[in-house]
Amino acid sequence: MSHLPDPHHHPPAREAGLSRGTVWLMSVTVAVVVANIYFIQPLLRMIAENFGLTVAKAGSLAMLSQVGTALGMLFFVPLGDKFERRSLILVLLLGAVGALVLMALAPNVICLAVAAFFLGAFCANVHVVVPFAAHLAAPEQRGRVVGMVVSGILMGVLLARTFSGTLGAWLGWRAVYGLAAGAMLLLGAVVRVRLPEDRPETVLTWRELMLSTLMLAKRHALLRESALLGALLFAGFSAFWTTLVFFLAGSPYHFPNPSAAAGLFGLVGAVGALAAPTIGHLAHKHGPRYTVSVALWTTLAGFVCMGLFGRHLAGLIAGVIIMDLGVQIGHVSNQTRIYSIDPAARSRLNTVYMFVYFVGGGLGSLIGAAMWHAAGWWGVCGVGCVVMLLALAVEFLHGRAGGDSNQ
């Protein structure tokens, strides 16, 4: 896709390949970091009881983390195109440690809400790592590398629920955040020793970075479409995961420990994350637009399955696998295509995409909790179906308007 030249950056002399060990470290890093945002979902019922909150107010805590992540991407992620990336990753890791400690010690819901917001903001760090990996990868391995690192994100999102639900049922919700703070300190030490140092080619002030980020969004229709589709996918995804623990606590399941049960569903959803490297390869072979379309129909099928058969355990499990697989396909495909727009601006491209993505997730958590209160399980699945139909309409209209056919 053509774009105007940027006089403020110098093109890289070469694209170095990434070793398998470095790719795995980046995958583990994003998994551990992003997990912190999602620990709260299986714990919402415990936290609600602890502080005397309604379901809707408890859901707003999950929303605050996602809104924090959106704003963190707006202010922190573009810096990956300006500052040495390994050092930036370390600073954001330490910020997350502080927020986790505050979560563990929060004496009231106000402190908890503030900590949740800043935890989300600092965990925008994962979106410094992903374009860093895309930048270091050789062109022929970029789809596979992005797929593996994004797979780490979804594995972290899903397995976070297993970890927090199980540990929270055993030791209480505060212990989850205390242990997470220790894990982040250990991760920081490993990152400092093992990640390569890398200075970006762009020479821009922060104000210029922000203005250029807005210009990228204005200039590239493909970026706007990808961001909107990602937001709609994540809205449905978040509506489901925010309310699952309340569904499992009531009819027809009545699980005695719904937090642990919701956590185990993270293992079910993780099946979809295993497909990410394959999806990256398919996106490279057939074009990301093809796999995005597959993602939208797959996710819609997952919500339909859960709406029709979710009151039976086998139907709920099948629906979770299908939905999470669809969201994973869409996310990997969208990121693969936006990184092809401008190699020197990958952090800023990712900022636009992920800012809109997490705004969608925050709204999905809020709307999902409200629809659970108003209409129960059918309301939650209805939200998922509606946003997927909207996403299919967006994708169809963009294609009709003459968007890049294979992107």
Side-chain angles (χ1 to χ4, degrees):
M1 190 169 193
S2 62
H3 57 272
L4 298 175
D6 185 347
H8 293 283
H9 80 266
H10 307 289
R14 63 182 180 86
E15 296 247 20
L18 271 177
S19 70
R20 181 175 294 272
T22 302
V23 175
W24 274 104
L25 173 58
M26 288 179 152
S27 298
V28 170
T29 297
V30 296
V32 173
V33 172
V34 80
N36 296 300
I37 305 171
Y38 299 95
F39 287 148
I40 199 168
Q41 289 177 343
L43 305 176
L44 283 174
R45 193 165 178 266
M46 285 188 224
I47 292 171
E49 291 173 353
N50 192 165
F51 292 108
L53 303 176
T54 64
V55 172
K57 288 181 179 178
S60 68
L61 289 171
M63 179 201 71
L64 279 172
S65 285
Q66 290 166 340
V67 170
T69 303
L71 292 175
M73 283 181 296
L74 191 62
F75 289 100
F76 297 145
V77 174
L79 300 179
D81 284 339
K82 177 176 175 62
F83 295 111
E84 197 280 307
R85 293 177 174 104
R86 184 181 65 184
S87 298
L88 177 61
I89 290 167
L90 284 171
V91 169
L92 295 176
L93 283 175
L94 292 176
V97 169
L100 285 164
V101 170
L102 183 56
M103 289 283 287
L105 301 177
N108 55 56
V109 72
I110 299 298
C111 287
L112 188 66
V114 170
F117 174 83
F118 281 103
L119 180 61
F122 287 119
C123 288
N125 200 1
V126 296
H127 306 293
V128 177
V129 179
V130 176
F132 186 18
H135 169 75
L136 293 174
E140 64 273 10
Q141 67 173 169
R142 187 165 295 126
R144 179 178 60 83
V145 167
V146 170
M148 287 188 67
V149 178
V150 173
S151 175
I153 294 176
L154 193 62
M155 289 293 284
V157 169
L158 297 172
L159 296 182
R161 301 178 176 95
T162 305
F163 173 80
S164 66
T166 304
L167 190 66
W170 183 32
L171 296 177
W173 66 269
R174 293 182 187 273
V176 172
Y177 291 102
L179 286 172
M184 291 286 281
L185 280 175
L186 179 61
L187 176 64
V190 175
V191 163
R192 175 65 182 82
V193 172
R194 299 299 301 273
L195 268 191
E197 186 178 22
D198 183 79
R199 297 191 178 278
E201 298 80 29
T202 306
V203 185
L204 296 174
T205 66
W206 187 85
R207 181 175 179 276
E208 288 172 330
L209 277 172
M210 296 308 298
L211 288 174
S212 67
T213 299
L214 293 174
M215 288 303 298
L216 285 168
K218 181 179 179 180
R219 184 183 303 152
H220 298 292
L222 179 62
L223 176 58
R224 296 193 299 273
E225 184 210 6
S226 298
L228 181 55
L229 293 179
L232 291 167
L233 282 164
F234 198 42
F237 182 89
S238 298
F240 168 79
W241 283 106
T242 298
T243 55
L244 178 63
V245 65
F246 300 103
F247 181 49
L248 296 178
S251 177
Y253 292 106
H254 299 291
F255 280 106
N257 198 321
S259 294
L264 290 174
F265 268 90
L267 291 174
V268 173
V271 171
L274 299 176
T278 302
I279 298 306
H281 174 72
L282 289 175
H284 180 75
K285 183 177 180 181
H286 297 288
R289 178 162 296 282
Y290 168 81
T291 48
V292 166
S293 180
V294 169
L296 300 179
W297 285 107
T298 301
T299 308
L300 177 61
F303 279 112
V304 170
C305 180
M306 288 189 289
L308 294 176
F309 308 112
R311 292 185 176 275
H312 304 282
L313 187 60
L316 185 59
I317 289 172
V320 170
I321 292 173
I322 295 167
M323 178 201 68
D324 282 348
L325 176 60
V327 172
Q328 175 72 339
I329 293 170
H331 191 46
V332 172
S333 301
N334 277 327
Q335 289 202 305
T336 298
R337 62 182 183 167
I338 68 168
Y339 290 148
S340 69
I341 293 172
D342 185 349
R346 288 190 178 117
S347 287
R348 284 166 285 158
L349 292 165
N350 204 43
T351 294
V352 175
Y353 175 76
M354 295 305 305
F355 175 78
V356 179
Y357 186 83
F358 272 90
V359 168
L363 290 173
S365 292
L366 194 63
I367 294 168
M371 289 303 295
W372 169 260
H373 179 74
W377 183 239
W378 272 108
V380 174
C381 293
V383 168
C385 290
V386 168
V387 295
M388 285 305 98
L389 289 171
L390 286 173
L392 284 163
V394 169
E395 197 275 335
F396 175 76
L397 291 172
H398 184 86
R400 287 277 309 264
D404 297 305
S405 60
N406 69 334
Q407 289 190 313

